[in-house]
Amino acid sequence: MGKIGFLGPVGTFTEEAAALVGDNLVAFDTILQVLDAVEKNEVDVGVVPIENSIEGPVGITLDLLVHDYDLKIKREIIIPVSHNLLINPKTNINNIEFVNSHMQALSQCRNFIESLNVVVNATPSTSAAAEMVKGNNNSAAIGTKRAAEIYGLKIVETDIQDYKNNVTRFVVISKKDHGQTGNDKTSIVFSIVEDKPGGLYEILGLFADNNINLTKIESRPSKEKLGNYIFFVDLEGHRTDELIRYILNIIRSKVGYIKVLGSYPKEGED
């Protein structure tokens, strides 16, 4: 594997996911920059978050894949999210007046934070929070064990997230998706031509009638006008499977827009 772009900085869960792809990592400041680097061949693949089991979809990733880039999902990576409270080595938790972290981490640890009776500050990333806390004895960060190592902080509390089954799904973005493995998933997005009773059921019924399991269905505003939506569907099977290809061709004749975001090996449990 060549260069792997990821949503930085170092010390984040995205870096952990990217490290599972290879070791030639290049950090970028935004998801847009990661996808742009893949598009311009500055990196071979990009790793970005697409969904969290608690907070739901990462809207910017979905929107960019639909509206701005003709890139494919080549792989999915599912990382358990364990949040930790990080402080300076020479202080203790009773001295903490401020807790800093990324907005998603703060919301995922709401109950724990409320028990501390502190002021909360949002930062661009969990790693940025750890960097900000270094040397500041009245502040703590919510971050990864890797961030604690990088910035010389100590972990005083582990697994502080409200829900223990917290996982984030990352995707590896490339110019091409993955070949068949026999244990595949395909992601598609489509919009219906007109808003009519049973319009969505007509499409989804094709999968049920052909015994194709759908692992995710969600909608997002189309950004065209209020009330118009696009639908994201993950289904079991590869886009080149004869039955999947047949169903996708039927859907193309019934919808206003459809895009195959990629076929790739399934990972973990849905």
Side-chain angles (χ1 to χ4, degrees):
M1 178 61 67
K3 288 184 177 180
I4 302 158
F6 72 98
L7 175 63
V10 298
T12 60
F13 289 109
T14 313
E15 184 199 25
E16 182 180 338
L20 296 175
V21 181
D23 55 11
N24 191 4
L25 305 183
V26 181
F28 291 89
D29 292 334
T30 66
I31 292 173
L32 187 151
Q33 288 177 3
V34 175
L35 269 58
D36 204 52
V38 176
E39 177 77 18
K40 294 176 179 176
N41 296 312
E42 294 172 2
V43 296
D44 294 273
V45 298
V47 179
V48 293
I50 197 168
E51 181 182 13
N52 176 264
S53 60
I54 307 302
E55 298 298 317
V58 179
I60 184 64
T61 299
L62 296 176
D63 289 344
L64 288 172
L65 288 174
V66 172
H67 299 290
D68 298 284
Y69 292 95
D70 189 21
L71 298 171
K72 301 296 183 185
I73 299 174
K74 188 182 184 73
R75 176 181 170 185
E76 66 176 352
I77 300 170
I78 297 172
I79 298 286
V81 175
S82 173
H83 290 301
N84 309 280
L85 189 71
L86 317 180
I87 64 175
N88 284 278
K90 295 182 179 180
T91 189
N92 65 68
I93 196 169
N94 297 323
N95 297 331
I96 300 306
E97 300 174 19
F98 303 93
V99 169
N100 309 278
S101 198
H102 187 271
M103 184 59 71
Q104 274 216 341
L106 294 172
S107 64
Q108 290 169 18
C109 303
R110 189 175 295 112
N111 292 338
F112 177 82
I113 293 170
E114 287 181 359
S115 72
L116 295 179
N117 191 30
V118 293
V119 176
V120 173
N121 295 316
T123 58
S125 68
T126 54
S127 186
E131 184 178 18
M132 184 183 301
V133 163
K134 183 177 181 179
N136 192 342
N137 288 332
N138 67 345
S139 293
I142 294 174
T144 64
K145 292 180 180 178
R146 167 104 164 108
E149 294 171 2
I150 292 171
Y151 297 107
L153 302 175
K154 69 178 179 180
I155 299 173
V156 287
E157 296 283 350
T158 61
D159 291 327
I160 62 174
Q161 63 274 9
D162 296 344
Y163 300 95
K164 301 309 177 187
N165 61 338
N166 190 5
V167 299
T168 294
R169 180 180 173 222
F170 299 85
V171 286
V172 179
I173 303 297
S174 179
K175 291 285 185 71
K176 296 181 180 179
D177 57 1
H178 202 285
Q180 286 181 320
T181 68
N183 185 36
D184 301 304
K185 179 188 289 186
T186 296
S187 295
I188 66 172
V189 58
F190 63 87
S191 62
I192 298 171
V193 178
E194 56 180 316
D195 187 13
K196 63 177 182 179
L200 180 59
Y201 174 80
E202 184 180 2
I203 302 302
L204 299 182
L206 288 167
F207 296 105
D209 292 343
N210 288 280
N211 201 31
I212 299 298
N213 187 40
L214 304 182
T215 61
K216 184 181 74 172
I217 306 168
E218 62 189 38
S219 63
R220 283 186 61 75
S222 67
K223 302 189 182 300
E224 292 176 354
K225 69 176 183 178
L226 188 66
N228 276 20
Y229 291 88
I230 53 177
F231 299 93
F232 291 86
V233 173
D234 286 352
L235 56 110
E236 292 184 346
H238 196 279
R239 61 176 175 78
T240 61
D241 294 343
E242 185 176 351
L243 181 56
I244 302 300
R245 197 165 61 239
Y246 166 74
I247 294 173
L248 293 179
N249 283 335
I250 294 178
I251 294 175
R252 284 189 181 95
S253 69
K254 294 179 177 291
V255 300
Y257 168 84
I258 182 172
K259 184 176 185 180
V260 178
L261 298 179
S263 292
Y264 46 92
K266 286 195 297 182
E267 178 174 313
E269 296 291 331
D270 286 295

